[in-house]
Amino acid sequence: MPRFAVASETGRLRELLVCPPDHYRWIPTNAVARRSLASAGPPPQAAFAAQHDELVAALAEAGATVRTLPPAPHLPYMVYTRDQAVVTPWGPVLCQLERPQRRGEYAAVLDWHAAQESAFWRKSSAGTLEGGDIHLIRPGLAAIGVSGGRTDEAGAAQLAAWLEAEGWECRVVPFDEHFLHLDLLFCMAAPGLALACEEALDDAFLAWLRDRGIRWIPFGYAEAMALAGNILALGEGRVVSSRGSTRINAALRAEGLVVLDPDLSLFAAGGGGPHCLTCPLLREGQ
């Protein structure tokens, strides 16, 4: 059995990996960060740390074991641990990051998993592949976003082939690279329930979800660019969602979900939310 295993986005979260924002800063690698840099000066480092501490406290309150990837001074976006690797039922897959500013993150991820005696199931080697584009919707069903920006067709096809060889159904989802990763437009909240930006997602993908019994709470372009649709399902009817996502948080609560809402506005301004800031390592159930 693998040391770490995840079969869905919505099983009970037992362990996850985060990276402290000791060296985090906004850099102009995506549309959200460029907009923030144009309109505001950089916040003090202590402000990033305080918000990240809120996230970690919420995760601990939910009963998850929070593990730490040591940050590197020359890799400011290492804090977004979602992208570096994705854990599957057969163990982790090492991703192939696209941006030059992030490519060096692979070394720390390899070293960390080796120290945990966690063997990689697969390593991405075709094109580019980033974890924010990978969604294990439920056991046996996955979606992989392709924008040509962060994840390209070759990277998505390689991962899809590995999953399909294990009997999974996979759909490659095209979207505009303006949105950075698919998890700005689509995230699972609970079994059978997602958040989806209908105006930016392909109609065929939405029909595919509907045919497989997945319904969603819709949100719009402005909410997508504010990272309001970027949530982390904790399992057992609980989610982490940014405090500023007031309308979506109300909609999630109306579905009977418990919403833990740390303030993550400074990370959202850099292009990431709770889904981006966390790499689930171990989940139980669906």
Side-chain angles (χ1 to χ4, degrees):
M1 294 293 293
R3 167 73 177 84
F4 299 120
V6 172
S8 78
E9 294 277 339
T10 57
R12 176 162 183 169
L13 186 58
R14 290 297 191 185
E15 295 186 48
L16 73 157
L17 185 65
V18 303
C19 180
D22 297 8
H23 311 291
Y24 178 71
R25 64 183 187 279
W26 298 336
I27 55 177
T29 60
N30 62 72
V32 177
R34 286 192 292 272
R35 186 170 62 181
S36 297
L37 286 164
S39 62
Q45 208 64 34
F48 290 124
Q51 290 196 357
H52 199 267
D53 287 347
E54 276 198 53
L55 172 63
V56 170
L59 294 165
E61 178 186 338
T65 298
V66 182
R67 302 193 178 278
T68 301
L69 182 67
H74 62 294
L75 298 169
Y77 268 35
M78 199 169 169
V79 68
Y80 296 125
T81 55
R82 175 69 55 166
D83 299 324
Q84 305 143 356
V86 59
V87 179
T88 73
W90 311 279
V93 173
L94 184 68
C95 293
Q96 184 93 299
L97 299 178
E98 187 271 339
R99 286 292 188 266
Q101 300 93 331
R102 297 199 64 185
R103 287 178 192 159
E105 295 174 26
Y106 81 95
V109 174
L110 283 172
D111 290 347
W112 188 88
H113 278 275
Q116 306 300 315
E117 299 184 346
S118 166
F120 279 87
W121 178 57
R122 296 285 189 272
K123 298 183 180 74
S124 175
S125 60
T128 56
L129 179 73
E130 301 199 357
D133 286 319
I134 302 165
H135 296 262
L136 307 182
I137 295 171
R138 63 175 180 239
L141 188 68
I144 306 169
V146 170
S147 67
R150 298 308 179 91
T151 295
D152 64 14
E153 291 185 7
Q158 185 179 50
L159 176 60
W162 290 333
L163 295 176
E164 288 166 353
E166 300 296 332
W168 279 49
E169 180 186 4
C170 297
R171 184 174 184 93
V172 172
V173 183
F175 68 98
D176 194 295
E177 67 177 288
H178 170 73
F179 294 104
L180 181 61
H181 288 128
L182 184 59
D183 63 3
L184 267 70
L185 304 175
F186 173 80
C187 272
M188 293 300 296
L193 178 66
L195 300 180
C197 183
E198 294 177 338
E199 62 192 87
L201 290 169
D202 186 69
D203 288 342
F205 173 54
L206 296 174
W208 181 83
L209 289 171
R210 189 180 296 110
D211 289 346
R212 283 147 188 80
I214 307 299
R215 61 189 182 90
W216 57 86
I217 298 167
F219 62 93
Y221 173 82
E223 289 174 309
M225 295 305 288
L227 279 291
N230 188 274
I231 62 171
L232 174 69
L234 299 170
E236 299 185 336
R238 301 164 303 157
V239 299
V240 177
S241 179
S242 300
R243 188 171 304 152
S245 307
T246 52
R247 189 196 68 81
I248 286 177
N249 291 347
L252 291 167
R253 291 183 174 113
E255 291 282 348
L257 299 176
V258 174
V259 179
L260 306 181
D261 57 351
D263 180 7
L264 298 173
S265 55
L266 296 178
F267 294 99
H275 196 264
C276 306
L277 289 162
T278 54
C279 177
L281 298 169
L282 185 64
R283 287 188 185 266
E284 295 177 352
Q286 300 182 24

